[in-house]
Amino acid sequence: MIPVTPRGFKDILPTEARWRERIITAARQTLSLWGYDPIETPTLEVLEVLEQGGQLSSTPFRLFDVDNELLVLRPDVTLQVARMVASRLDVADLPLRLRYVQPVFREEQSLRAASRQFTQIGVESIGLSGALADAEVLLLAIDVLEVCGLKDFTLCIGTVGVLRLLLDACVSTSVVNEQWRDEMLAACHEGDAVRIEGLSRIEGLDSRLTQALRALPKINGHEDAIHRCRNLAEPLGLTDGLDQLQATWEIITKVGAAQQTRVDFSVISSYDYYTGLVFEVYAPGLGVALGSGGRYDRMMRGFGKDIPAAGFAFSLEAVMRAMILQGSDVQEETNAAVTVLEAAAAKAAGPEAIDPQAATDVFLRAARLRAQGTRAVVVDATTRPVQKES
Amino acid sequence: MTALKIALPKGALYEDSVALLKAAGLDTTGLDAPDRQLMFDRGDWMYFIVRPTDVPIFVSLGGVDCAICGRDSLAEQGLAVSELVDLGFGACTFVVAEPACAGHSAEEHYRRRGVMRVATKYPNITQRYYDSIGTQVEIVKMHGNIELAPLCGMAERIVDITATGKTLRDNNLVVVTEVLDSTARFIGNTASTRTDPRVRELATRLQAIVVPAPQKGDTAVD
């Protein structure tokens, strides 16, 4: 029997690994140019601790250690960074711009083509708020994806503020309860217009509120979408987050991001996590978001600090799949050629033995080549030649 | 611009689906009698004829941009898609049924054995339903002719979908309770729905056909 990896886990062989390395190097360089510093977080966390920052939006792998502590493999890096910043760093260090490249692990049902490990490339902007900080995360997301080599992609941006206020307004009438809010939120989260419609048909609920609830997730476009949302929310006095979204939109479009950006008020992602800007990144043919981000100003409260934060992360594997689907010209490394230096046999000692002097020379020559940036491999001329790497 | 990819379910919902798209002004040439052809390229639209239970996966993975799909398949598979319009046709109901002569034997099983055995093609919907009423069940997943399971004593009850109730009656089964109503839905891949305005435009066109006139004010911002 051929030994296999667990479902949803894979080996990465050199062809793929080299491509990954090039993308990661380009991404790291770009994020560094934006002023973001690298961090690493542990693979395992105590579940109870991580959940102080918010509900986990995916199912983590869980295990008990010898201390009977319930641990999880990190399903996401953002909560870890919140924990780290709240517990390890000082307010005087703010603002912080942090970046990471780390694998995350999530349980997925079988037979649905889902990996259970993928690599997140992401950033956290901590201690900054306002349209400028939001615009930075969006522009940086576009920049890093382009640098990775992805040509065609769309950021769908929105804000969770309006929906939050709408639901609050509905619940405050006492016509509907918290359970209704949860159901409505789930329906909005799933983009289930039919269920939103059904849930909004409640006797006694202000029809302006229910019409707004039905209309909001359908608002999609460019700047016009923000205006349409404003027309809907302003008469109700529920414009939270719209001014900031508008200001952010103006900045990013003036900087030249209009082509890659759409406004969509159905984007709410994990709602209990985000507090303002929220966005998802899509690429043609991929079917699912390759990355997402937004603002989560309340996350650190769970860890005892009140610090605004925003961030963005994308899946390296999803970007690679999108690039293949887009027929992107995936350039092989230009300096991939390997110079092969052969250590000759010692004539006197017969064809089986290496001449010690020849071996020394060949290693020294190889070292000189490497110092010049040429890949050099030493092989034994007395045995069958090693197949050259392409 | 590339063609918008639409999946249509083979079987009970197929004819109504094609008729609806035709009424919405789409070129559906050839779809009326598809024979064995599974893919139709009609310029702006590209149609894929798929098994009803496969529609959700085609949509959630982005194989197609949008589709027509029964609520039953969506509820069973729980995949992430955007449900955009209730199309109204293809109405059917999930029911719990048992042999007409069963009397209280299922309850008796539950009382004495602490568990009820239920056969179904829809294990997830069945599990969710029994969880919601707090009844412990042993679910037997079947692929067809579910009616046979209680008739031969393999299970006490079944959870199945019924439109007219005829199959149940023909097999001497009676409805114990209703679980869930289902109709056909127009659904979109979430990425396509958000990035390709044609999906929402088609949703609006279909909505206009299936619902008489929207209430005043409903479309103010659409």
Side-chain angles (χ1 to χ4, degrees), chain A residues 112-113 154 156 190-194 211 214-215 217-220 228 232 262 264 266-267 280 282 285-288, chain B residues 57 60-62 77-79 81-86 185 189-191 193-195 197 200 215-218 221-222:
Chain A
R112 286 185 173 173
T154 306
C156 288
E190 288 157 17
D192 187 345
V194 179
Q211 278 165 19
R214 287 201 291 268
K218 295 179 186 165
I219 301 178
N220 173 294
R228 276 183 286 156
L232 182 83
R262 289 186 75 84
D264 191 312
S266 74
V267 179
E280 304 264 346
Y282 297 104
L286 209 55
V288 294
Chain B
I57 196 79
S60 73
L61 290 182
Q77 300 191 32
L79 288 163
V81 302
S82 296
E83 271 184 57
L84 300 171
V85 185
D86 183 348
R185 304 290 156 94
N189 168 264
T190 305
T193 306
R194 286 177 177 162
T195 58
R200 278 202 172 89
Q215 288 168 22
K216 189 171 167 285
D218 265 12
V221 293
D222 285 0

Side-chain angles (χ1 to χ4, degrees), chain A residues 133-288:
Chain A
D134 286 357
E136 174 176 313
V137 171
L138 292 168
L139 291 170
L140 174 150
I142 292 170
D143 197 17
V144 73
L145 288 169
E146 282 178 346
V147 162
C148 288
L150 189 63
K151 290 195 180 77
D152 193 357
F153 61 90
T154 306
L155 269 69
C156 288
I157 72 172
T159 175
V160 299
V162 178
L163 178 64
R164 191 185 296 274
L165 287 184
L166 259 178
L167 293 174
D168 285 350
C170 291
V171 173
S172 71
T173 62
S174 304
V175 177
V176 289
N177 55 18
E178 287 296 331
Q179 191 195 336
W180 176 90
R181 182 214 293 268
D182 292 345
E183 281 176 37
M184 190 54 127
L185 201 50
C188 292
H189 192 260
E190 288 157 17
D192 187 345
V194 179
R195 198 150 148 241
I196 293 170
E197 177 85 34
L199 284 165
S200 66
R201 260 193 244 112
I202 298 259
E203 196 75 29
L205 203 55
D206 186 341
S207 66
R208 291 179 312 161
L209 291 176
T210 55
Q211 278 165 19
L213 272 174
R214 287 201 291 268
L216 187 67
K218 295 179 186 165
I219 301 178
N220 173 294
H222 294 95
E223 193 170 6
D224 57 300
I226 303 178
H227 296 319
R228 276 183 286 156
C229 185
R230 194 180 291 282
N231 291 341
L232 182 83
E234 215 154 47
L236 298 163
L238 308 174
T239 57
D240 190 44
L242 272 185
D243 290 341
Q244 187 159 327
L245 185 66
Q246 171 105 36
T248 306
W249 173 265
E250 279 167 18
I251 297 169
I252 63 167
T253 51
K254 278 183 185 136
V255 177
Q259 225 197 325
Q260 295 98 330
T261 318
R262 289 186 75 84
V263 174
D264 191 312
F265 287 94
S266 74
V267 179
I268 56 167
S269 302
S270 331
Y271 169 92
D272 63 339
Y273 194 105
Y274 292 101
T275 54
L277 173 73
V278 61
F279 65 101
E280 304 264 346
V281 188
Y282 297 104
L286 209 55
V288 294

Side-chain angles (χ1 to χ4, degrees), chain A residues 23-24 27-28 30-32 34-41 76-78 81 97-104 118-126 137 140-141 144-145 148 279 290-293 296 310-316 319:
Chain A
I23 294 173
I24 290 170
R28 280 186 171 136
T30 299
L31 297 177
S32 178
W34 279 79
Y36 285 71
D37 288 318
I39 49 151
E40 290 180 38
T41 57
D76 161 292
V77 182
T78 298
V81 175
R97 288 181 171 84
L98 306 174
R99 63 180 160 93
Y100 56 84
V101 178
Q102 296 197 134
V104 297
F118 62 95
T119 303
Q120 273 193 337
I121 300 180
V123 296
E124 304 292 341
S125 143
I126 295 154
V137 171
L140 174 150
V144 73
L145 288 169
C148 288
F279 65 101
L290 62 87
S292 63
Y296 21 85
F312 162 66
F314 66 92
S315 156
L316 171 62
V319 165

